[in-house]
């Protein structure tokens, strides 16, 4: 948002939302860094939990629950040539 303002760009609108909740109009781009680590992952360095809340890390039993939900919702909300970047 800071870059947008410093460039005087009026063609971009940023919307912060939880899995596209409240989005009614078609959108062109979805950018997200969703959680993707499976619950109980033995490879996760426990020190990571000091810096990141669990909701930002764990994506369900297989790590893909949030991603699947987001992609499903995005297919309904994106324009025909829309882009989703994860």
């Amino acid at each position: 948002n800071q870059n947008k303002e410093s460039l005087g760009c009026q063609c971009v609108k940023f919307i912060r939302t939880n899995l596209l909740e409240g989005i009614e109009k078609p959108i062109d781009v979805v950018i997200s860094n969703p959680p993707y680590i499976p619950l109980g992952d033995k490879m996760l360095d426990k020190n990571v939990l000091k810096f990141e809340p669990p909701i930002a890390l764990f994506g369900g039993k297989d790590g893909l629950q949030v991603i699947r939900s987001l992609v499903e919702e995005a297919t309904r909300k994106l324009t025909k040539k829309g882009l989703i970047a994860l």
Side-chain angles (χ1 to χ4, degrees):
N1 214 10
Q2 190 176 15
N3 285 340
K4 174 190 156 188
E5 291 173 11
S6 68
L7 295 170
C9 179
Q10 301 299 318
C11 62
V12 176
K13 180 179 179 184
F14 291 98
I15 303 169
R16 182 178 289 180
T17 182
N18 182 19
L19 299 176
L20 305 180
E21 288 178 359
I23 303 292
E24 301 298 328
K25 296 180 180 180
I27 53 178
D28 296 312
V29 179
V30 172
I31 300 173
S32 177
N33 183 19
Y36 56 86
I37 300 171
L39 284 171
D41 188 320
K42 305 287 187 226
M43 300 296 291
L44 180 67
D45 184 335
K46 300 303 178 205
N47 288 320
V48 172
L49 295 172
K50 294 178 184 176
F51 303 101
E52 294 287 346
I55 194 170
L57 298 171
F58 301 110
K61 187 175 181 178
D62 66 355
L64 300 175
Q65 180 179 347
V66 175
I67 293 171
R68 278 193 292 273
S69 295
L70 181 58
V71 169
E72 182 180 329
E73 192 65 20
T75 60
R76 290 193 290 270
K77 307 251 173 131
L78 283 168
T79 59
K80 282 189 177 188
K81 293 186 178 185
L83 169 76
I84 183 168
L86 306 177

